Amino acid sequence: MTVLWYLLWFAVAVSLLVTVHEFGHFWVARRLGLKVLRFSVGFGKPLLARRGRDGVEYWLCPIPLGGYVKMLDEREGPVPPEDLPRSFTRQHPLRRVLVLLAGPGANFLFALVVLAAMFWASGVTRWRPIVGRVEPGSIAARAGLQPGERILTVNGTSVDSQSQVRMRLLEVMSGSGKADLTVRADGQTRPIALDVSNPEARRKLTGPAGPLAGLGLHFAGPTLPPVLGRVLPGGPAARAGLAAGDRIVAVDGRPMKDFEAVVRAISPNPGKTLAITYSRGGVERTVQVSVASVTAQGAQIGRIEAEAPATLHYPPNLVRHDRLGPLAALGAASGRIWTLTVLQGRLLWRMMLGRVSIKNLGGPLTIAQEAGQSASAGAGSFLGFLVLISLEIGFLNLLPIPLLDGGQVVFQLVEWVKGAPLSERAQIIGQQVGIALLIVLMGVALFNDIARQFG
């Protein structure tokens, strides 16, 4: 059931975002007067096909890994003389560039609209970057970081949330490895210097799990009793007989003082069987639980599919929630999208330079798993997942790889500057290089997927 659930939401997510992308090409092409022959979502023999009153064929195909908009093009066959002005090849190169950029642009616009709507409806919650636990002997401990200190700046840039600290540290560790922090506690402000000089150590800190755990830094969170909230039907906890309200006493004989301790005991053990002692109605029992292996932020972790208690009370000093009007929500969403896109570009470039772990590349298996997990967590989580994937699709399609929109944009700009199309030989070589690059990227991503599945 879990696999089918993942596949279902993978198909929903990819089909939706491909439709958004291709609709961008379609809409701009039609506005510019080009003749569109077909709008296809998916690949393969069409499951559904109809011709609209506008003369366009609309296809829904069974392989939800892409799609396309087919425009009138003299390179693909004879074109009636009366339709030549509407052919793609007869357009000025800059008009063709507009059509090509419209696909990625639609993905960015979709992400902006959805994120702004989420911010407007629910507001923005910021988890303040207050240090909770520092691993003994870790890089953070050697630098002198103490529990209870709030991080104010990273290399001179103000940070007011845990996510901002994560992004800043990820960027630093993919670069120089030197992070100068300003922290405050009890009204006193002081500097902290994190320095990771070894390139291989820095590369490990840029892996899917992020830099915090490798630095030995854990943010503060609410102290929760080790009591189970909702237990997901069919999950490891439910199969072992655990239920909501059970107090976890021990995991493999180790006493559990709070819910975070339970998570720390289970997370490092994907695929293993743990002895969990729990208390129900004053009676203690021990059951064997087969821990599931799931992907979170690109890394394999263990889960028993049981949540924390639903009523969480966060201390006022730990969380800040702001309600936003429509314009403020749009501004906040624009800033978040810009930050994520710039960071994505820097990390990809540094990955090509060998300074960022290639384990961050995820393929269809990882995307399917994250789609299913986010859908299980609720509508808000799934919409957030769609925002991130839409940004990735938009960004990747802007890369100057000939088979992608960005590569085709380069061809059109060269033709505009040169005053004539590239030679057929040059275009063929470009296509071959593009195919080779995509095969390498897909191969690495698929290898990472398989490696994650098998730990």
Side-chain angles (χ1 to χ4, degrees):
M1 175 60 88
T2 300
V3 173
L4 293 178
W5 179 259
Y6 289 168
L7 291 176
L8 168 65
W9 289 104
F10 172 79
V12 170
V14 174
S15 297
L16 173 61
L17 296 178
V18 165
T19 301
V20 168
H21 182 93
E22 297 304 330
F23 182 77
H25 294 308
F26 174 81
W27 189 84
V28 171
R30 294 288 296 271
R31 297 287 82 73
L32 293 177
L34 280 72
K35 185 171 184 177
V36 178
L37 303 178
R38 182 180 303 147
F39 184 117
S40 176
V41 176
F43 295 124
K45 189 176 180 180
L47 299 173
L48 295 173
R50 63 178 292 270
R51 184 181 296 274
R53 284 183 290 182
D54 53 6
V56 179
E57 292 181 335
Y58 295 93
W59 284 11
L60 179 63
C61 301
I63 305 175
L65 295 178
Y68 62 92
V69 171
K70 183 178 181 181
M71 287 171 268
L72 191 66
D73 193 324
E74 296 167 78
R75 295 168 297 184
E76 297 183 3
V79 174
E82 64 273 16
D83 284 338
L84 283 175
R86 302 179 65 193
S87 171
F88 182 78
T89 50
R90 291 295 179 104
Q91 308 304 309
H92 188 278
L94 292 184
R95 288 166 65 89
R96 289 182 238 157
V97 167
L98 288 176
V99 174
L100 292 166
L101 291 179
N107 286 119
F108 285 112
L109 182 60
F110 172 86
L112 176 63
V113 170
V114 171
L115 192 58
M118 292 173 65
F119 286 169
W120 186 17
S122 304
V124 176
T125 300
R126 296 181 179 88
W127 309 102
R128 291 192 171 100
I130 297 175
V131 179
R133 182 165 52 91
V134 179
E135 299 285 354
S138 65
I139 296 170
R142 293 196 299 270
L145 204 58
Q146 298 292 327
E149 292 182 316
R150 178 175 174 176
I151 300 175
L152 302 177
T153 67
V154 178
N155 284 352
T157 301
S158 297
V159 289
D160 65 354
S161 69
Q162 296 178 9
S163 62
Q164 287 183 348
V165 173
R166 288 190 183 93
M167 286 192 290
R168 290 293 297 154
L169 288 178
L170 180 59
E171 187 173 353
V172 168
M173 293 307 154
S174 67
S176 66
K178 295 181 179 181
D180 293 321
L181 312 182
T182 303
V183 300
R184 178 188 295 159
D186 300 324
Q188 301 294 317
T189 301
R190 68 190 184 99
I192 292 287
L194 298 175
D195 189 354
V196 184
S197 57
N198 184 283
E200 183 58 32
R202 291 202 301 270
R203 188 180 300 110
K204 289 181 179 179
L205 291 174
T206 64
L212 294 185
L215 293 170
L217 167 62
H218 302 271
F219 285 123
T223 301
L224 299 172
V227 176
L228 299 183
R230 185 169 71 104
V231 175
L232 302 185
R239 291 198 302 269
L242 295 172
D246 289 345
R247 176 178 287 270
I248 305 301
V249 177
V251 176
D252 272 356
R254 290 176 292 167
M256 298 289 107
K257 65 177 182 177
D258 54 34
F259 195 83
E260 184 183 356
V262 177
V263 174
R264 292 202 304 269
I266 294 172
S267 293
N269 295 292
K272 297 182 180 179
T273 299
L274 300 178
I276 295 183
T277 302
Y278 68 97
S279 174
R280 181 188 300 170
V283 178
E284 288 191 5
R285 300 179 178 85
T286 299
V287 293
Q288 302 294 318
V289 180
S290 299
V291 180
S293 178
V294 302
T295 302
Q297 296 181 339
Q300 291 301 113
I301 64 171
R303 283 188 180 169
I304 61 171
E305 304 295 352
E307 299 176 354
T311 54
L312 304 180
H313 300 286
Y314 290 88
N317 70 321
L318 188 61
V319 62
R320 172 184 170 184
H321 184 79
D322 296 322
R323 301 294 302 184
L324 301 178
L327 291 180
L330 183 61
S334 300
R336 181 75 60 86
I337 286 174
W338 173 257
T339 299
L340 290 173
T341 303
V342 170
L343 179 62
Q344 191 172 209
R346 288 176 179 169
L347 293 180
L348 179 61
W349 174 248
R350 291 173 182 178
M351 187 183 296
M352 294 171 62
L353 297 177
R355 289 153 56 183
V356 172
S357 174
I358 62 172
K359 293 181 180 179
N360 289 291
L361 288 175
L365 298 181
T366 297
I367 296 173
Q369 198 166 28
E370 292 180 353
Q373 291 168 7
S374 64
S376 297
S381 179
F382 186 66
L383 287 174
F385 167 79
L386 289 178
V387 167
L388 293 177
I389 298 300
S390 190
L391 289 177
E392 289 186 8
I393 291 175
F395 175 79
L396 290 175
N397 271 278
L398 290 177
L399 296 179
I401 298 176
L403 290 181
L404 302 178
D405 294 326
Q408 295 302 313
V409 167
V410 172
F411 282 172
Q412 308 309 321
L413 293 177
V414 170
E415 178 178 338
W416 181 43
V417 173
K418 183 182 174 184
L422 285 171
S423 67
E424 185 175 347
R425 175 176 172 78
Q427 294 188 46
I428 291 174
I429 292 175
Q431 299 287 355
Q432 291 173 340
V433 171
I435 291 172
L437 287 174
L438 289 178
I439 288 175
V440 170
L441 287 174
M442 292 173 62
V444 172
L446 187 58
F447 175 82
N448 288 342
D449 278 356
I450 295 172
R452 288 169 187 143
Q453 294 303 315
F454 291 95

